[in-house]
Amino acid sequence: MPQHLIAIKDITADALNHIIDRSIEIKKNPAPWHDSLKGRTLAMIFQKTSTRTRFSFEVGMTQLGGHAIFAQTQHTQMGIADIADEGKVISRYADLIMARMRYNADLVAMASGSEVPVINGCDEKYHPAQALADLMTVKEKLSRTEDVKIVYLGIANNVSNSLSMASIYAGARFTLCVPEFDPAAVDEEQLAILRASDRYEETADPIEAVKNADVVYTDTWINMEFFSDPAFADEKERRLKTFMPYQINEDLLKHSGQETLVMHCLPAHKGYEFNETVMYHPNSVVFDQAENRLHAQKGLMLWLLGKI
Ligand code: CP
Ligand code: NVA
């Protein structure tokens, strides 16, 4: 079976740290890698919308000398065919598959059929490619990940699932500061691993949590597929009230260190998990973080294809 990346726990800590270190090197010195994936194809399959994931994977493949094909599931036969069979067929054409599916179960099915590595481009449970870029950004900015205190505020979700596991793999300390878990994202097996680590903690108190934080991180309280859905309007309203104390804003940053980095996977919802201005705070690294999606994914694709 090929090596897939559906969740961070699919790879080892050594592999994660290797990909991050090599991605930083490749970012600094990209020229030797220009033809490294010449003749190779990445199939990109999207059931949900995207800006960063779509552009960064496609540009990454171009910069490595390969080619990427973009397809939305509604323009494929995935709605009427067995998804494992469709994954197998695509893997007979492409060298890598990256898919953003609504349900993890569909991604797992696709990977079960695929004869080439499948990368999770964000489902309801995980966003591992994001976490690689996040830890890469931390390492670039702080020159280390070891013992760095990363505090995630908001809702426990796909992004925090991948970030927490990647943080522990990278030797960081991780604080999950949430009043609630997204029920669709709960991974009991991973939670048991995290809760057994003395570098992982959970709290519901944001002011206590951000003390001595090296990084404060947040994500949307409402995932993309629900954000504008009228059927989700009441729950959106409820979440707005529940999660507002966990908003990252300048007042909360007064309780963290002067140097605390502000991170967000984007897209940000200003007035929700970020206030209107904190995205542009001097400590915000969100745009470098978004750029690093490109570099980390180049590292990931090279690793999955045995080039690094
Ligand atoms: N962070 C992220 O995955 O962004 P997109 O939804 O725009 O791809
Ligand atoms: N939790 C967010 C991540 C966006 C990249 C979502 O699923 O919409």
Side-chain angles (χ1 to χ4, degrees):
M1 199 175 81
Q3 172 71 63
H4 302 300
L5 184 66
I6 307 296
I8 292 291
K9 65 186 176 182
D10 293 345
I11 61 173
T12 63
D14 282 350
L16 176 126
N17 291 308
H18 176 72
I19 294 166
I20 290 170
D21 288 343
R22 299 307 307 271
S23 300
I24 292 172
E25 285 167 26
I26 295 163
K27 178 179 179 179
K28 282 191 195 140
N29 184 22
W33 302 94
H34 278 164
D35 285 329
S36 53
L37 295 187
K38 194 163 181 233
R40 303 294 191 105
T41 301
L42 168 71
M44 305 193 301
I45 301 159
F46 283 86
Q47 195 175 29
K48 300 188 282 189
T49 49
S50 170
T51 302
R52 280 143 289 271
T53 304
R54 191 262 162 103
F55 282 91
S56 57
F57 267 106
E58 186 160 344
V59 171
M61 205 55 188
T62 302
Q63 291 185 359
L64 296 173
H67 176 66
I69 297 173
F70 169 72
Q72 292 176 286
T73 49
Q74 66 264 37
H75 299 143
T76 70
Q77 305 294 24
M78 284 186 203
I80 55 170
D82 183 295
I83 209 148
D85 294 342
E86 293 292 270
K88 184 179 282 293
V89 170
I90 294 166
S91 75
R92 295 279 174 101
Y93 308 131
D95 302 277
L96 283 170
I97 297 173
M98 185 277 294
R100 171 168 285 190
M101 304 299 288
R102 215 172 146 153
Y103 300 108
N104 178 260
D106 286 337
L107 200 76
V108 169
M110 192 186 296
S112 75
S114 174
E115 295 169 14
V116 303
V118 174
I119 302 166
N120 184 351
C122 186
D123 59 28
E124 86 284 22
K125 281 196 158 46
Y126 312 108
H127 197 358
Q130 178 69 51
L132 289 175
D134 298 341
L135 269 300
M136 176 185 171
T137 307
V138 171
K139 191 150 197 179
E140 255 189 349
K141 298 290 175 191
L142 303 177
S143 306
R144 67 189 168 98
T145 51
E146 198 67 36
D147 224 28
V148 164
K149 181 179 176 184
I150 299 173
V151 180
Y152 177 94
L153 300 124
I155 190 165
N157 66 0
N158 45 9
V159 166
S160 68
N161 278 349
S162 293
L163 182 68
S164 53
M165 200 66 199
S167 298
I168 298 304
Y169 269 9
R173 287 178 289 138
F174 188 86
T175 301
L176 183 72
C177 181
V178 301
E180 283 179 22
F181 284 62
D182 172 0
V186 174
D187 174 348
E188 294 290 356
E189 182 196 76
Q190 180 176 294
L191 268 177
I193 297 170
L194 291 170
R195 286 173 175 161
S197 167
D198 57 6
R199 285 180 283 121
Y200 175 86
E201 62 172 12
E202 293 177 16
T203 171
D205 181 344
I207 292 177
E208 202 47 44
V210 303
K211 275 187 193 150
N212 304 315
D214 296 297
V215 175
V216 291
Y217 191 122
T218 192
D219 179 26
T220 184
W221 302 330
I222 302 127
N223 284 352
M224 59 184 93
E225 60 268 43
F226 302 114
F227 200 81
S228 306
D229 179 355
F232 207 77
D234 289 347
E235 174 61 8
K236 187 175 175 180
E237 204 48 44
R238 188 195 69 79
R239 288 195 186 180
L240 191 58
K241 291 195 188 86
T242 305
F243 290 96
M244 198 48 87
Y246 298 82
Q247 182 189 67
I248 298 186
N249 53 46
E250 288 78 359
D251 283 341
L252 185 68
L253 292 183
K254 284 181 192 146
H255 300 278
S256 68
Q258 295 275 316
E259 313 278 312
T260 307
L261 301 178
V262 175
M263 297 182 68
H264 192 308
C265 58
L266 305 183
H269 301 81
K270 297 174 195 166
Y272 291 74
E273 74 277 3
F274 261 7
N275 72 352
E276 296 292 336
T277 49
V278 80
M279 184 154 168
Y280 312 104
H281 188 280
N283 293 14
S284 165
V285 295
V286 298
F287 294 105
D288 294 334
Q289 185 186 352
E291 179 191 330
N292 281 341
R293 294 292 305 278
L294 168 66
H295 307 294
Q297 284 154 195
K298 285 165 72 175
L300 172 62
M301 291 190 288
L302 288 167
W303 182 74
L304 287 171
L305 292 175
K307 300 280 187 182
I308 60 170

